[in-house]
Amino acid sequence: MIRLDNISKQNGHQILFIDASMGVLKGEKVGLVGPNGAGKTTLFRMITGEDRPDDGLVSIDAGMTIGYFSQDVGEMSGQSAVAAVMDGVGPVSALAAEMAKLEAAMVDPDQADDMDAIIERYGDVQGRFEELDGYALDARAREVLAGLSFSQERMDGDVSLLSGGWKMRVALARILLMRPDGMLLDEPSNHLDLESLIWLEDFLKSYDGALLMTSHDRAFMNRIVGKVVEIDGGSLTTYSGNFDFYEQQRALGEKQREAQFERQQAMLAKEIKFIERFKARASHAAQVQSRVKKLDKIERVEPPRRRQSIQFDFRTPPRSGEDVASFSNVYKGYGGKPIYAGFDFKLRRKERWCVLGANGAGKSTLLKLVAGATEPDEGTVTIGSSVKMGYFAQHSMDLLDGDETVFASLDGSFPQAGQGALRTLAGCFGFSGDDVEKPCRVLSGGEKARLVMAKMLFDPPNFLVLDEPTNHLDMATKEMLVAALSAFEGTMLFVSHDRHFLAALSNRVLELTPEGIHQFGGGYTEYVVSTGQEAPGLHPGG
């Protein structure tokens, strides 16, 4: 049981919480929502004891263990990924690391003289490892890593060689392996592919402890949480139900507050008009006094705080020819491993293909081939007439000039556009007020992605090639993007792990599997219905 009672917290000049309360019981799965900067991470840190409230009480049941996954994974080096995952479970991981060193020493000819001592020590360490059920733990660690799409090779490889996204998965696996009484998960769905996401969903559904999590993935949140706590304007409001239910209730509450506010404003206007009209007449003095007193006593209804919803309207892109791109007998491989062999594929105008496939199936390679970022080993990739392509990939964000401000970056791309139009564009993509003066080097991953997207969509292409466009984006920006792309009149080829994005925007599915490449004539929703799976080779978890 985790409880926050009447907590108040201020960071510098920013007030995060005022007399806010909430609780998470054993077995409850709670989603924590609120705009960026509202205090979600601070709330997690107060529960773990890394931070303290200025006022109020944070209480956790005696003996309760808590695992906290944050986006800041810290330093990882000097061990394999599987050893790093077992690290969270205490002495077993140290014994596993020592066994690995001793095993290496046993086959090292330079240490032949010390072999008796090495073997004796190995026997002692192995005995203790078995007592602590180390082999079962090692198997469980590998099972969790496999669920998060690690190959055996990657599990046993040096953790320091992994990219930031894969290190995140190691940090997440560490918490999952612990199976603590309470889990705090800050954006666990970031950096995961669709297969890992679905595995994690099933894992968390069967977890019987207390779970409090944030996520920008609507489908993921909807399937796991049965309660939502919203941080807004310093208070914590609890809603029973999943994320969709919370949104409906919130909208309903806002409507009611709006109506209440308007009714009161109308009544106040009427009373003030009466007072103004008759205040100079002696015959109405008593009535005027009584109404002035009444107005003083009325508790004013606050106007509802409007969430800023951002919208971006596409200009109409120029029309392309009917044949947008075609692959003819394409062969492509890496390091002797064939990815495409004799591949034929055509994209026609207004088709929106989403590409599905496990890690390493060749999704990004397909997009690079279309974009001309890589060449086929054999065969041809042809782009049709009048096609104007916009290609978004993760490396696009590295091409921003770190010294330029957000506004200068937009202005450099569209010098003819004028200040007003560019400020409106920046606002649509979440850069309001002084945000446009931030230099690009200080932008977060999400801010960089939004800036690159703004630059790509302002002068719209008629063929969008998007590789994981929703990575790093918060829910509001994703909603804006889905709404904008729904109205897009061109052609799309994209990879995404966000099922809401896939379902809303695709009208064709290209499935890459070890058995072959399959084309589906309907969108992602039809694909799920016809195959009974949400990703190639996976069945839906209920």
Side-chain angles (χ1 to χ4, degrees):
M1 169 68 170
I2 299 166
R3 267 220 69 77
L4 282 76
D5 288 304
N6 301 319
I7 58 156
S8 295
K9 179 74 180 169
Q10 189 165 344
N11 270 354
H13 294 301
Q14 190 189 10
I15 295 170
L16 293 174
F17 300 103
I18 309 164
D19 287 339
S21 300
M22 64 163 281
V24 188
L25 299 169
K26 180 176 163 54
E28 276 191 328
K29 296 178 174 65
V30 182
L32 184 63
V33 302
N36 283 342
K40 298 189 285 286
T41 301
T42 302
L43 188 134
F44 281 144
R45 288 169 58 83
M46 287 193 290
I47 293 171
T48 59
E50 290 172 53
D51 207 338
R52 299 173 67 84
D54 301 332
D55 205 3
L57 195 64
V58 177
S59 49
I60 287 154
D61 283 357
M64 182 176 182
T65 54
I66 288 187
Y68 173 35
F69 169 75
S70 78
Q71 294 295 301
D72 180 13
V73 297
E75 191 47 48
M76 288 187 189
S77 61
Q79 56 190 159
S80 67
V82 75
V85 170
M86 287 162 66
D87 242 0
V89 195
V92 171
S93 63
L95 293 168
E98 192 177 350
M99 276 167 62
K101 275 186 189 156
L102 291 166
E103 282 163 6
M106 284 182 202
V107 293
D108 182 356
D110 294 343
Q111 300 195 47
D113 296 347
D114 303 322
M115 201 49 69
D116 290 347
I118 290 168
I119 289 169
E120 188 181 342
R121 176 65 189 156
Y122 185 78
D124 293 343
V125 173
Q126 190 182 34
R128 181 78 185 117
F129 186 74
E130 282 174 350
E131 274 172 37
L132 292 172
D133 213 8
Y135 286 110
L137 191 68
D138 180 90
R140 269 176 48 217
R142 287 175 188 278
E143 193 183 316
V144 170
L145 284 171
L148 296 175
S149 299
F150 275 74
S151 61
Q152 290 297 330
E153 191 184 349
R154 203 170 242 150
M155 289 179 202
D156 292 312
D158 184 343
V159 73
S160 66
L161 301 177
L162 295 176
S163 69
W166 286 98
K167 282 180 178 167
M168 289 270 187
R169 296 186 195 209
V170 170
L172 177 60
R174 191 181 280 171
I175 305 294
L176 301 180
L177 182 67
M178 271 171 73
R179 279 202 104 105
D181 303 322
M183 273 201 258
L184 309 177
L185 303 181
D186 195 0
E187 296 294 346
S189 51
N190 269 7
H191 302 286
L192 295 186
D193 53 74
L194 191 50
E195 291 74 16
S196 306
L197 208 52
I198 293 165
W199 177 87
L200 179 59
E201 220 165 71
D202 288 341
F203 185 98
L204 293 177
K205 278 183 196 165
S206 65
Y207 168 67
D208 56 6
L211 172 67
L212 180 64
M213 70 171 206
T214 64
S215 173
H216 291 322
D217 188 310
R218 173 186 286 269
F220 181 70
M221 192 81 119
N222 261 334
R223 293 174 189 214
I224 294 168
V225 306
K227 187 164 133 180
V228 171
V229 172
E230 179 190 54
I231 306 178
D232 191 17
S235 62
L236 291 167
T237 311
T238 300
Y239 297 80
S240 292
N242 67 6
F243 185 81
D244 281 350
F245 180 76
Y246 146 74
E247 279 207 320
Q248 289 160 11
Q249 291 302 302
R250 191 181 194 288
L252 198 63
E254 256 179 18
K255 252 191 191 148
Q256 287 167 346
R257 278 196 301 281
E258 181 92 44
Q260 211 180 344
F261 174 71
E262 282 171 5
R263 275 198 306 273
Q264 190 181 68
Q265 288 300 304
M267 182 272 290
L268 292 174
K270 200 173 161 187
E271 293 293 317
I272 289 164
K273 194 175 173 187
F274 179 91
I275 292 163
E276 287 300 317
R277 190 172 165 198
F278 294 110
K279 67 182 176 189
R281 295 190 193 178
S283 58
H284 286 74
Q287 276 176 289
V288 167
Q289 276 310 107
S290 128
R291 292 196 182 202
V292 168
K293 280 181 185 164
K294 181 179 152 189
L295 284 191
D296 286 343
K297 285 181 185 162
I298 284 176
E299 196 175 317
R300 303 292 162 112
V301 175
E302 290 285 315
R305 268 192 309 276
R306 290 195 171 281
R307 277 280 168 89
Q308 202 186 349
S309 66
I310 43 179
Q311 286 179 320
F312 175 73
D313 293 323
F314 263 105
R315 295 190 204 165
T316 305
R319 185 185 164 119
S320 71
E322 287 303 313
D323 289 335
V324 174
S326 59
F327 288 66
S328 177
N329 200 28
V330 166
Y331 284 78
K332 182 70 183 173
Y334 287 108
K337 182 188 169 210
I339 294 176
Y340 293 103
F343 177 50
D344 293 314
F345 175 53
K346 266 193 184 353
L347 279 106
R348 292 193 171 80
R349 194 171 76 84
K350 288 202 167 186
E351 289 181 341
R352 297 160 170 229
W353 288 88
C354 70
V355 187
L356 300 180
N359 262 332
K363 300 188 295 290
S364 292
T365 302
L366 178 78
L367 271 51
K368 283 177 185 167
L369 285 164
V370 168
T374 189
E375 295 292 322
D377 300 334
E378 280 180 49
T380 56
V381 178
T382 312
I383 301 301
S385 65
S386 308
V387 170
K388 181 184 172 192
M389 189 190 305
Y391 174 44
F392 177 90
Q394 296 308 303
H395 74 264
S396 317
M397 300 186 285
D398 303 333
L399 305 177
L400 293 169
D401 179 342
D403 295 328
E404 276 192 334
T405 64
V406 169
F407 188 81
S409 185
L410 291 172
D411 194 35
S413 298
F414 310 110
Q416 309 300 315
Q419 284 237 357
L422 292 183
R423 284 188 181 275
T424 304
L425 172 68
C428 286
F429 284 85
F431 298 103
S432 55
D434 294 342
D435 288 345
V436 294
E437 298 309 326
K438 280 184 182 174
C440 291
R441 70 170 165 275
V442 304
L443 299 180
S444 67
E447 288 171 324
K448 283 180 180 170
R450 296 202 307 262
L451 177 56
V452 170
M453 203 80 71
K455 290 171 82 156
M456 185 172 73
L457 299 181
F458 183 63
D459 182 18
N462 52 29
F463 179 32
L464 286 175
V465 179
L466 309 174
D467 195 356
E468 294 288 6
T470 60
N471 262 6
H472 308 291
L473 296 187
D474 61 26
M475 236 182 248
T477 312
K478 278 190 203 179
E479 289 301 333
M480 180 276 286
L481 198 58
V482 166
L485 293 175
S486 298
F488 173 61
E489 292 177 15
T491 309
M492 285 172 67
L493 176 69
F494 65 97
V495 172
S496 175
H497 63 248
D498 188 298
R499 284 160 291 178
H500 177 58
F501 192 85
L502 289 167
L505 295 174
S506 61
N507 60 21
R508 301 278 188 283
V509 176
L510 189 69
E511 182 192 52
L512 313 179
T513 73
E515 295 74 49
I517 296 171
H518 309 123
Q519 300 183 23
F520 286 84
Y524 178 72
T525 307
E526 290 87 343
Y527 165 83
V528 173
V529 171
S530 71
T531 62
Q533 61 191 23
E534 293 188 291
L538 284 182
H539 293 279

